[in-house]
Amino acid sequence: MDLVSNLALGFATAASPANLLFCLIGVLLGTLIGVLPGIGATATIAMLLPITFQLEPVSSLIMLAGIYYGAQYGGSTTAILINMPGESSSAVTAIDGYQMARNGRAGAALAIAALGSFFAGTVATFLVAIFAPPLTAIALEFGAAEYFSLMIVGLVSSVALAHGSIVKALAMVALGLLLGLVGTDIYTGTPRFTLGIREYADGLNFVGLAVGVFGIAEILRNLESEKTREVLMARVTDLMPSRDDFKRMLAPILRGTVIGSALGILPGGGAILAAFASYTVEKRISDRPQDFGRGAVAGVAGPESANNAGAQTSFIPLLTLGIPANPVMALMIGAMIIQGIVPGPNVAAEQPRLFWGIIASMWIGNLMLVVLNLPLIGLWVKLLKVPYFILFPIIMAFSSVGVYSVNANVYDLYAVAFFGLVGYLLLKLRCEPAPLLLGFVLGPLLEENLRRAMILSRGDPTTFFTRPISATLLAIAAVVLVVVFLPAVKAKREEVFVEED
Amino acid sequence: MTILKALLGAVAAVSLFSAPASAQTYPERTITVIVPFSAGGPTDTVTRLVAESMSKDLGQQVIVENVGGAGGTLGAGRVAQAEPDGYTLLLYHIGMATSATLYRNLAYDTLNAFEYVGLVTEVPMTIVARKDFEPNDLKGLIEYVKANKDTVTVANAGIGAASHLCGMMFMNAIGTQLTTVPYKGTGPAMTDLLGGQVDIMCDQTTNTTKQIQGGTIKAYAVTSPKRLKIFPDLPTASEAGLPGFEVGIWHGLYAPKGTPPEVTDRLSKSLQKALKDENVIARFAELGTEPSSEADATPAALKAKLESEIARWKPVIEAAGEYAD
Amino acid sequence: MKSISFDTTNALCGGLLTAVGLFFAWQSFGLELGTAFRMGPGYFPLVLSGVLTLLGVVILVQSARVHGEPMGPIAIRGMLFILPAPIFFGLTVRGLGFVPALFFTALIACFASHRMRPLWAVALSLALTVFSVLVFSYGLQLPYQRFGPWVRF
């Protein structure tokens, strides 16, 4: 069988001692840098990218893939331990992961994230190996109208992200969408809401926003009652998930894997939705939705799996079309070009060693990640025992370096301070940052695809209903809406939100 | 007041000390080349290849710093304000010329803020379409789009991008305005072209070569004066029906205004050497381009190029009425 | 409803969001709106700011009906020292260079806690700077000048 021989070639390539070493170094470096507070996957990869330029092509890409997984896992670790997501996907992990940590269950949360990621990574790797070409064909069917409808599904579902007032959650989404539009309008070149500051012409930096509204707001909250604050962090009960945890994480991991794999294929920002979508689904079908936002196991397991599966399948458009699905993939292409490989539709045929080597190393990288990180959990959790007044200057220093390293734009640092203030204000006003972040990533995509769909259809709005995939997605959005506002469900939900209002 | 004066004095003293970098001993420390785009893009790739080779000749590390944003004008602005000591350089493409018109309030004066080192390379463009697009040659394409100007869509990677410039030039050349569909970057634009969501695009060979070879898109012409070695059967635009239609994404190396001529000359020499480096030539070939000739890799040639390109693009951009601010 | 009383948190929240919505709407009017079929840069933001303003008003109205917990203490000292830290880094990283900028950034942040002794703060900032320089500057070769033009003689 072709697949077997291809995979054999891949593993033969990836499992050479040198490549195994580079994979290990990549995973290790990615984890170590990514785990520094305020330095997420994008910043980590931007920092580590030049190191890989010196290596031969296959090794360089294998190491880079390792860095990618490591950085993502490192980012999730800081999201869980100190509420510092460096990426949109780990922002979702932060919601319940950080609450678990505050309940003394940081070790369990980290283990769940690692195991969920590994399972999802394994499944998604095989999906990439088996179905890459047909899946690519599906992805190409997605035009502007389809993306718009997909984003609508995401927006409608976002309500579930909130565990407080729904109206406030919606307001946060709207605010996030508006903040996402800051920058140059790509259709006319008009700068919008930049207040005349040219440094914001490319929009607000996601890392700056996330570090501000999540991390800094949390630091300030911890500082407000230093004298009376009980030392929450020192109380760590169990390092490993309990039997009950395993039972409760199984189904979410499976569902997260499916959602992540499916959305990750779409090159136009589908992967961004994966973690959010998984969280929504888990909360919707959970028999204990009131646990979400207070440290629900499913709220960590689902999104983390979705996130990692999406990360894996987002290699599909890169490998089959030579098209990057996200900024990280764009960096990968850059690395390939530097190595003299211009990625395109023929990479698999022209460079089978490279193509299958990368796929095999994806799985090896995931395996190393688990092997490396499960024993490290004890160490990460111990970090929580560092007194807070020592921890936060460290966080501030690393965040500053991390944010600056993404684009060497000092205005991104000013944005960190501003959004730190905004985040703290929102926290005081009992508004949640996660819907804001979702709006922020969706805003530009939503508008861009809406306007592009209208241009392509020559101003005919029925395009959203006459294109079958788009129509299906809109139908799903409608169903979700109906479910939300169905009286029975509404009653149940009000029960959930009653303590807020 | 006295404190203020003392401070001012100290600042003046510092700047006096640091200003004249001795040209004889240059370079004494690491040189930073600023690329005004993010890491991994075509300009970044070109820069890293050349920088690596220049390091060997100069005996000092030449490192690349990515300062992206606002179509490259933020990075250029940074270099315009840098100390003119030869340790901060800029590698910027055709955008150096077009941003002078696209941006109506640049933070620097394009023609007076830089010293010139030399041209690095000129990447050719290709006119391409989705693979099931009807016309089969450039003449047919021109007839077809003129006849169907209300339905044909032209993709580009955003204002100021190579594909945007070439698209404007193309519509200008055939005298027909088509519906333009902007994207955020080449990736999504190419995806929609592959998926048949848009009709045509004009983009750098860096982005189109592999797709053309793979048969996933249709190519009509290259915009260089000569046919390309990798596509011997693909005619130039001039041959195929658009006489004089030449667009290339040229890259130049600049230094801040006031950099001593000895230093820029030294850099030019080093650049010329790097452009003859076999590794650089081979990698450039894979990107579908060639290093600039020794005559072009000189300050005078770059200065002339910049001046002529600003003059050439100004009317095209003004006619299209599309500005980036 | 017994009497006119407000949940101050929600009243403030609603008021602020309404104000922000109106600000964005005002900014959007300065942009070309276009039509629903040919949207200009201002169209979509205007719709969104309308939605935000509306939601802000709803929260404001609701604040008269329900009560939540009080806002609690405010981290004044925290804000005074934490927020300026990244700003200081941004202002000085190119001038002073990576090393001094990072040192002072950490030092400023240290004073956000009253439990931090000055000597400890200096020691922590120093350790942090040494670590970062080793990792980022020497290890990862990030292209930042260790000492910038303001401190170079």
Side-chain angles (χ1 to χ4, degrees):
Chain A
M1 212 179 122
D2 244 12
L3 178 70
V4 176
S5 64
N6 281 335
L7 277 179
L9 174 69
F11 275 99
T13 309
S16 79
N19 284 342
L20 277 181
L21 182 70
F22 285 122
C23 188
L24 179 70
I25 296 175
V27 170
L28 198 65
L29 274 179
T31 310
L32 291 180
I33 302 296
V35 88
L36 295 177
I39 301 183
T42 316
T44 308
I45 293 164
M47 284 180 188
L48 294 175
L49 185 69
I51 298 179
T52 65
F53 290 158
Q54 271 74 1
L55 307 172
E56 66 132 344
V58 181
S59 310
S60 139
L61 289 169
I62 285 177
M63 180 166 161
L64 203 58
I67 291 172
Y68 180 37
Y69 305 132
Q72 260 205 335
Y73 187 75
S76 303
T77 307
T78 37
I80 289 171
L81 294 180
I82 51 172
N83 204 22
M84 270 276 187
E87 225 61 39
S88 54
S89 46
S90 42
V92 183
T93 310
I95 305 174
D96 276 273
Y98 182 63
Q99 292 307 323
M100 281 183 79
R102 288 183 71 195
N103 297 338
R105 310 203 57 221
L110 289 172
I112 290 167
L115 293 172
S117 295
F118 175 65
F119 177 82
T122 307
V123 173
T125 302
F126 279 98
L127 277 181
V128 174
I130 303 167
F131 294 119
L135 288 177
T136 312
I138 298 177
L140 283 181
E141 290 298 308
F142 268 69
E146 285 75 18
Y147 278 112
F148 175 76
S149 303
L150 180 68
M151 299 305 153
I152 291 291
V153 177
L155 272 187
V156 169
S157 325
S158 67
V159 179
L161 282 172
H163 54 276
S165 149
I166 293 230
V167 183
K168 278 188 183 171
L170 287 174
M172 285 301 103
V173 174
L175 182 60
L177 287 167
L178 279 168
L179 290 173
L181 296 182
V182 172
T184 308
D185 170 34
I186 64 161
Y187 289 89
T188 58
T190 317
R192 294 188 290 185
F193 314 121
T194 57
L195 307 175
I197 299 168
R198 190 191 299 277
E199 276 74 7
Y200 291 135
D202 290 341
L204 299 166
N205 179 334
F206 175 85
V207 180
L209 184 80
V211 165
V213 294
F214 273 88
I216 294 190
E218 182 61 24
I219 292 177
L220 291 174
R221 196 181 65 86
N222 278 311
L223 282 173
E224 67 193 16
S225 51
E226 269 196 306
K227 282 169 201 151
T228 56
R229 193 173 74 94
E230 63 190 301
V231 191
L232 273 170
M233 298 305 186
R235 185 165 52 82
V236 177
T237 51
D238 44 359
L239 276 187
M240 283 297 135
S242 66
R243 187 177 287 268
D244 180 48
D245 288 339
F246 273 111
K247 224 186 287 166
R248 274 192 286 154
M249 69 196 250
L250 205 63
I253 287 179
L254 284 173
R255 283 189 290 264
T257 305
V258 173
I259 293 169
S261 304
L263 290 175
I265 300 159
L266 302 174
I272 290 170
L273 277 179
F276 287 104
S278 163
Y279 190 87
T280 308
V281 168
E282 292 314 322
K283 187 169 176 185
R284 224 1 114 220
I285 60 179
S286 169
D287 51 347
R288 288 155 70 184
Q290 68 274 19
D291 283 358
F292 281 73
R294 295 197 171 74
V297 169
V300 177
E304 266 301 295
S305 312
N307 169 12
N308 207 42
Q312 220 72 275
T313 52
S314 63
F315 272 94
I316 290 182
L318 176 70
L319 291 173
T320 57
L321 298 175
I323 280 174
N326 55 44
V328 174
M329 292 299 127
L331 287 174
M332 293 288 266
I333 289 205
M336 288 172 125
I337 292 176
I338 292 262
Q339 297 292 352
I341 302 159
V342 183
N346 293 344
V347 169
E350 286 169 4
Q351 309 252 8
R353 218 171 69 85
L354 174 93
F355 183 89
W356 294 100
I358 293 178
I359 291 183
S361 70
M362 285 180 182
W363 187 77
I364 296 180
N366 272 290
L367 181 67
M368 283 182 179
L369 204 58
V370 164
V371 173
L372 201 69
N373 275 294
L374 285 181
L376 278 181
I377 286 176
L379 179 73
W380 300 143
V381 171
K382 274 206 191 73
L383 286 182
L384 290 180
K385 292 190 178 161
V386 174
Y388 204 72
F389 67 95
I390 297 209
L391 199 58
F392 70 79
I394 299 178
I395 297 176
M396 290 314 297
F398 285 144
S399 316
S400 302
V401 176
V403 170
Y404 186 67
S405 71
V406 177
N407 235 342
N409 184 347
V410 294
Y411 280 81
D412 288 344
L413 290 160
Y414 308 152
V416 169
F418 177 72
F419 284 110
L421 182 67
V422 170
Y424 184 57
L425 198 68
L426 292 177
L427 201 131
K428 290 269 94 179
L429 299 174
R430 296 198 299 274
C431 294
E432 289 159 70
L436 179 94
L437 231 48
L438 177 73
F440 182 75
V441 291
L442 287 189
L445 292 170
L446 194 68
E447 190 205 20
E448 211 183 298
N449 284 302
L450 171 63
R451 288 167 71 181
R452 188 175 300 135
M454 293 304 271
I455 292 180
L456 288 175
S457 72
R458 271 150 264 289
D460 176 10
T462 58
T463 180
F464 298 108
F465 306 102
T466 50
R467 295 174 67 113
I469 302 179
S470 168
T472 314
L473 287 166
L474 285 179
I476 294 174
V479 170
V480 175
L481 258 187
V482 170
V483 169
V484 170
F485 288 101
L486 220 62
V489 184
K490 196 161 183 264
K492 185 176 161 200
R493 208 195 50 236
E494 253 152 28
E495 189 184 297
V496 177
F497 297 119
V498 75
E499 69 284 315
E500 155 70 23
D501 286 339
Chain B
M1 272 316 275
T2 46
I3 297 174
L4 192 67
K5 264 187 192 159
L7 271 177
L8 283 175
V11 170
V14 169
S15 48
L16 264 181
F17 271 110
S18 55
S22 150
Q24 281 80 35
T25 53
Y26 175 86
E28 292 174 304
R29 54 187 168 89
T30 304
I31 299 168
T32 305
V33 181
I34 290 190
V35 174
F37 301 98
S38 51
T43 310
D44 182 58
T45 309
V46 164
T47 312
R48 284 182 197 269
L49 291 171
V50 172
E52 196 190 327
S53 185
M54 284 176 75
S55 298
K56 282 179 236 158
D57 176 58
L58 292 167
Q60 285 287 346
Q61 250 199 315
V62 181
I63 56 170
V64 175
E65 182 177 353
N66 302 92
V67 183
T73 57
L74 290 184
R78 171 88 66 88
V79 176
Q81 285 165 11
E83 268 180 74
D85 53 10
Y87 293 102
T88 311
L89 307 175
L90 171 73
L91 204 146
Y92 196 0
H93 61 33
I94 187 172
M96 186 69 142
T98 52
S99 60
T101 312
L102 276 171
Y103 292 82
R104 284 161 294 187
N105 53 354
L106 279 184
Y108 54 90
D109 174 2
T110 304
L111 281 172
N112 291 311
F114 301 96
E115 302 290 346
Y116 306 90
V117 176
L119 278 159
V120 178
T121 180
E122 182 152 351
V123 183
M125 313 277 290
T126 46
I127 302 174
V128 295
R130 61 183 159 87
K131 67 167 182 280
D132 50 356
F133 200 53
E134 262 173 55
N136 284 316
D137 56 25
L138 191 64
K139 274 217 175 73
L141 177 77
I142 296 169
E143 275 166 32
Y144 184 89
V145 297
K146 279 187 170 170
N148 301 284
K149 63 172 187 237
D150 292 329
T151 55
V152 174
T153 49
V154 189
N156 72 52
I159 292 203
S163 46
H164 173 235
L165 300 173
C166 187
M168 269 197 300
M169 198 58 118
F170 178 70
M171 290 187 281
N172 197 291
I174 64 171
T176 308
Q177 202 59 36
L178 305 168
T179 308
T180 53
V181 187
Y183 289 82
K184 227 179 210 159
T186 301
M190 184 58 83
T191 311
D192 267 12
L193 195 67
L194 293 178
Q197 316 281 354
V198 285
D199 298 325
I200 53 177
M201 181 154 88
C202 175
D203 205 359
Q204 308 180 58
T205 46
T206 327
N207 301 322
T208 58
T209 303
K210 288 287 156 169
Q211 306 293 352
I212 297 171
Q213 286 170 345
T216 48
I217 53 176
K218 199 181 248 185
Y220 293 108
V222 292
T223 63
S224 50
K226 285 184 304 185
R227 292 192 180 200
L228 303 180
K229 280 183 201 136
I230 39 168
F231 296 125
D233 299 331
L234 193 61
T236 66
S238 292
E239 291 168 4
L242 276 179
F245 187 78
E246 280 171 23
V247 184
I249 302 305
W250 51 275
H251 297 67
L253 187 60
Y254 305 82
K257 190 83 191 174
T259 307
E262 298 83 17
V263 170
T264 50
D265 283 347
R266 176 78 189 85
L267 287 166
S268 282
K269 291 263 154 31
S270 177
L271 174 66
Q272 289 159 9
K273 231 180 228 171
L275 294 179
K276 287 184 189 141
D277 184 328
E278 270 171 31
N279 180 42
V280 172
I281 296 174
R283 290 292 165 82
F284 273 25
E286 279 157 4
L287 297 174
T289 184
E290 290 167 14
S292 297
S293 67
E294 188 171 323
D296 281 339
T298 54
L302 178 58
K303 185 168 191 279
K305 182 80 176 174
L306 181 65
E307 283 167 356
S308 71
E309 287 281 291
I310 291 178
R312 179 179 173 214
W313 285 99
K314 198 172 185 328
V316 178
I317 295 167
E318 282 173 348
E322 291 178 356
Y323 296 96
D325 57 8
Chain C
M1 261 198 252
K2 288 161 283 180
S3 63
I4 303 172
S5 64
F6 290 95
D7 176 339
T8 36
T9 310
N10 279 350
L12 200 61
C13 177
L16 269 175
L17 288 175
T18 311
V20 172
L22 289 175
F23 171 76
F24 272 103
W26 170 62
Q27 288 269 307
S28 305
F29 272 117
L31 300 164
E32 192 194 328
L33 293 179
T35 65
F37 297 144
R38 272 263 155 200
M39 288 170 219
Y43 190 91
F44 194 66
L46 185 65
V47 173
L48 280 177
S49 32
V51 171
L52 183 61
T53 312
L54 192 74
L55 289 168
V57 172
V58 171
I59 296 170
L60 198 61
V61 171
Q62 277 185 347
S63 71
R65 289 195 289 130
V66 279
H67 285 264
E69 12 177 333
M71 221 186 288
I74 307 269
I76 300 285
R77 184 185 172 119
M79 287 200 278
L80 274 180
F81 289 97
I82 289 289
L83 299 179
I87 296 178
F88 179 86
F89 188 76
L91 288 174
T92 58
V93 63
R94 290 218 292 273
L96 287 177
F98 186 70
V99 176
L102 192 69
F103 175 78
F104 286 112
T105 301
L107 196 65
I108 293 170
C110 279
F111 286 102
S113 168
H114 62 84
R115 288 166 62 182
M116 183 66 90
R117 306 273 153 70
L119 208 62
W120 267 100
V122 173
L124 178 64
S125 307
L126 259 181
L128 202 53
T129 309
V130 170
F131 175 84
S132 303
V133 169
L134 287 180
V135 170
F136 297 117
S137 200
Y138 287 97
L140 300 181
Q141 308 255 312
L142 293 193
Y144 309 136
Q145 292 185 343
R146 284 186 273 274
F147 291 92
W150 297 352
V151 290
R152 200 186 297 137
F153 283 90

